[in-house]
Amino acid sequence: MNGSYSAPSKTGALLELVTTTLADHFDLDVTRVEVSTLGPGFTSALERTALSPEALAAVEAVEQADLVVAGTPVFRGSYTGLFKHFFDMVDQYALANHPVLLVATGGGERHALVLEHQLRPLFGFFQAATAPVGIYASTGDFDGTTILNPKIYSRIDTALGDLKPRLQAAIAADTDAHAVAATAA
């Protein structure tokens, strides 16, 4: 799930790297939700019943995923408004005990705490099982949308290692296991 407003975006590139690595290690179908592309049928909805069919399908894809990779750029010290609006439409109990991997991008290292101070509490409300390791990349980690910093690759491997037992169990229980990369980039 990508909470970025622009395409291409650094958040989208980081989510692409995470989901590609995920697909390399696990037999999962990956669905991408780009919040910025959901249009007026999403942005004008004040409640779930007012969502367009496309926006509702995106929300339901996140709710039904075996793993949610939630990514957003940092905007004024927090997640973007579209990202928050998207999760305002998610059923309060749909993500309970579901694994969620937190991903964010920002202009500098000072924004890295968005994972702990903004995203983790949001998914705590949903009673989701957030991975212990989140992934943050700053502008200096990129050349355009290409990730250059090897520490980011290592952090992705660590995060996926933390999720491995849960994902293997989901795959064993569900022949149609899938992950949703939801971004508000």
Side-chain angles (χ1 to χ4, degrees):
M1 189 269 167
N2 184 354
S4 180
Y5 297 135
S6 60
S9 71
K10 288 177 177 54
T11 306
L14 181 56
L15 284 166
E16 181 66 29
L17 177 60
V18 170
T19 56
T20 299
T21 306
L22 182 66
D24 288 347
H25 289 88
F26 301 99
D27 186 22
L28 294 172
D29 293 325
V30 176
T31 302
R32 298 269 322 234
V33 174
E34 299 282 342
V35 175
S36 63
T37 66
L38 294 177
F42 165 68
T43 57
S44 66
L46 298 179
E47 56 189 35
R48 187 179 173 120
T49 57
L51 290 171
S52 68
E54 178 188 37
L56 181 60
V59 169
E60 289 173 344
V62 167
E63 292 174 339
Q64 296 164 11
D66 294 302
L67 167 66
V68 174
V69 182
T72 183
V74 177
F75 182 74
R76 298 195 180 191
S78 188
Y79 37 74
T80 65
L82 281 181
F83 184 88
K84 177 63 166 78
H85 183 63
F86 184 87
F87 282 99
D88 285 343
M89 299 298 160
V90 171
D91 181 84
Q92 179 177 351
Y93 302 106
L95 301 179
N97 206 33
H98 280 75
V100 174
L101 178 56
L102 306 175
V103 176
T105 58
E109 294 303 317
R110 67 189 179 282
H111 294 297
L113 285 175
V114 72
L115 296 170
E116 301 305 321
H117 294 281
Q118 300 296 319
L119 291 172
R120 204 168 295 281
L122 174 65
F123 289 98
F125 167 81
F126 288 108
Q127 302 171 46
T130 55
V133 173
I135 302 162
Y136 176 82
S138 66
T139 301
D141 296 322
F142 292 88
D143 179 11
T145 56
T146 302
I147 299 168
L148 302 175
N149 187 340
K151 291 180 182 178
I152 302 298
Y153 292 85
S154 175
R155 195 144 178 94
I156 291 168
D157 288 339
T158 300
L160 295 182
D162 289 343
L163 292 168
K164 185 176 182 176
R166 292 196 69 129
L167 291 174
Q168 287 175 328
I171 292 166
D174 183 3
T175 57
D176 209 18
H178 70 283
V180 173
T183 60

